[in-house]
Amino acid sequence: MPSAPLDRATTQFSVAFGGTPDGIWSAPGRVNLIGEHTDYNGGLALPIALPQRTFAAVRIRPDKVLRMSSDGMPGGPVTIPLADVRAGSPGGWAAYVAGVFWALSEAGYAVPGADVAVASSVPVGAGLSSSAALECAVGAALSDLAGLDLLGTSGGRTELASLCQRAENDIAGAPTGGMDQLASMLGRRGHALLLDCRDATTDAVPFDLAAHGLALLVIDTRAPHALVDGQYAARRHTCQAAAMTLGVPSLREVRLEDLAGALGRLPDEVARRRVRHVVTEIGRVGSFVDAVRAGDWAAAGRLMVASHESLRDDYEVSCPELDLAVDTALGAGALGARMTGGGFGGCAIALVSADHAVQVEADVAGAFASAGFRAPEAFVATASQGAGRDRFGG
Ligand code: ADP
Ligand code: MG
């Protein structure tokens, strides 16, 4: 069995830098239950933090230099003076680490140099937010090591999440919304996190599926997704332009009951479909939370299916692999299933009875084989804890 990522981070640290770290911090990946492409529209989303985590073993340096090493990336440590961190510098994966140092410094915090070694169990590039897990593990470490004390309150964690988002937007150059970092920072075991991205407020919603004989199956389609970045930016742009045409700060301000009128004021069919997805999806998040709180899992499942159809037909961010995973899971008896994450590949989720998860997984694998797709990978996800310190001292 491969060793746990906490141990791998320790080993990575001693191999790359020698000695032991000051401590080890970790943060989870996330999967979104419902509320897709809503975060950058000031809307609602409902992610859970995953059991899979990224670990950062960190030691402060007396100078203002940053050295970074990941056991998931080939090559020796990446070294850069903190003063040289800017958009595109460093490039590649190290931007996600260096960006957090930069964002905290921009926010006025005194940020030290450091040696950072990374190891993770979050699948990279699968839409489960390995990027936010990395940023938030580093952010948690800096909060403790620089004495910022941001982990102790949800306000502090929200601020840290926002700085991690800045790192990803401004230094790594990925124009993502705020959901991933909030989920990774504020996730709670046994709970989903209702995010209101208009004001970054959160509410924990009990989500203990096992207690109800249910399970959440995450199916990584492993579909190659080359189009993602440009398509994501295009969707954001369309939404922004539509909000401007409608004279509102964001599509969040378009109420479901006013949707028909709003659509009538948009000039083209594509914009109408995009807006219809965003506004109905925000409505579905509220309904899903009501269904979960009432224990009405059949209703929750139907809302997942409606979300998938809206993402497939109106927002046009699904792909054949995601559609096949969803259709096969539903055919195998799932209560609900949908694509999750940005789309064009990545993962689907299925709400299934716990004793049925293995069968659904096997059916999806069989359908993928018949279609000639790459073999998918699936796991059952439970709602887990957000970022924190795992160990002080090596
Ligand atoms: P996702 O967040 O869905 O996994 P992204 O494209 O947003 O996909 O982020 C993946 C990128 O984050 C990787 O290409 C790499 O640059 C960085 N990254 C994530 N996890 C690690 C890790 N354990 N070690 C080094 N870099 C990582
Ligand atoms: Mg990401």
Side-chain angles (χ1 to χ4, degrees):
M1 208 178 107
S3 56
L6 188 149
D7 295 332
R8 285 195 279 116
T10 311
T11 306
Q12 185 70 11
F13 189 95
S14 67
V15 169
F17 308 122
T20 54
D22 293 334
I24 299 180
W25 290 258
S26 68
R30 64 94 189 94
V31 70
N32 192 22
L33 300 175
I34 196 160
E36 217 64 75
H37 286 279
T38 51
D39 59 351
Y40 55 82
N41 288 299
L44 303 174
L46 190 73
I48 60 169
L50 289 172
Q52 290 91 336
R53 302 177 77 86
T54 296
F55 291 77
V58 183
R59 182 174 61 203
I60 283 186
R61 293 172 58 90
D63 54 15
K64 290 267 178 186
V65 168
L66 187 53
R67 293 195 298 175
M68 298 158 280
S69 175
S70 167
D71 82 344
M73 297 289 156
V78 178
T79 302
I80 188 170
L82 285 180
D84 291 352
V85 178
R86 62 181 74 91
S89 163
W93 73 270
Y96 294 87
V97 177
V100 177
F101 283 73
W102 173 88
L104 283 155
S105 168
E106 284 286 297
Y109 293 113
V111 175
D115 292 334
V116 181
V118 175
S120 179
S121 59
V122 184
V124 173
L128 299 174
S129 215
S130 68
S131 57
L134 177 54
E135 293 146 15
C136 292
V138 171
L142 267 182
S143 171
D144 280 355
L145 289 174
L148 312 180
D149 205 19
L150 293 170
L151 294 174
T153 62
S154 64
R157 282 175 178 263
T158 302
E159 182 188 347
L160 209 42
S162 148
L163 294 172
C164 288
Q165 186 196 347
R166 264 200 91 184
E168 179 146 354
N169 293 165
D170 294 1
I171 303 302
T176 52
M179 167 174 57
D180 303 353
Q181 294 81 5
L182 283 167
S184 187
M185 270 296 164
L186 288 148
R188 256 180 70 185
R189 185 172 295 113
H191 290 75
L193 199 66
L194 176 59
L195 301 182
D196 188 334
C197 298
R198 179 160 52 185
D199 53 11
T201 52
T202 60
D203 194 9
V205 179
F207 193 72
D208 183 1
L209 290 179
H212 300 276
L214 298 171
L216 185 77
L217 190 65
V218 178
I219 303 155
D220 179 1
T221 63
R222 300 174 73 228
H225 48 293
L227 292 172
V228 185
D229 290 350
Q231 293 286 353
Y232 185 89
R235 294 301 181 285
R236 278 189 80 136
H237 178 76
T238 302
C239 290
Q240 246 164 23
M244 203 177 291
T245 304
L246 296 171
V248 289
S250 78
L251 293 180
R252 172 63 181 282
E253 310 308 322
V254 180
R255 293 183 312 178
L256 205 47
E257 52 269 37
D258 300 332
L259 178 60
L263 295 183
R265 289 162 54 208
L266 291 171
D268 70 287
E269 174 57 22
V270 169
R272 281 195 288 273
R273 278 191 269 127
R274 304 296 189 253
V275 171
R276 188 164 57 208
H277 165 71
V278 171
V279 176
T280 59
E281 182 77 354
I282 292 170
R284 278 186 290 272
V285 178
S287 305
F288 188 92
V289 169
D290 290 344
V292 167
R293 287 202 159 117
D296 188 348
W297 301 104
R302 283 193 298 273
L303 288 158
M304 292 170 73
V305 175
S307 170
H308 183 75
E309 289 169 350
S310 178
L311 287 157
R312 183 191 64 200
D313 302 335
D314 276 348
Y315 221 62
E316 297 180 281
V317 292
S318 191
C319 66
E321 290 87 343
L322 286 168
D323 290 341
L324 184 61
V326 166
D327 291 345
T328 308
L330 292 173
L335 289 169
R338 58 179 290 271
M339 59 157 280
T340 182
F344 303 108
C347 292
I349 52 173
L351 181 64
V352 299
S353 67
D355 52 13
H356 206 184
V358 171
Q359 184 62 52
V360 174
E361 182 179 345
D363 283 9
V364 172
F368 270 49
S370 303
F373 295 154
R374 285 178 76 179
E377 271 169 21
F379 61 92
V380 168
T382 50
S384 303
Q385 198 64 20
R389 188 175 77 211
D390 296 274
R391 189 182 286 175
F392 234 162

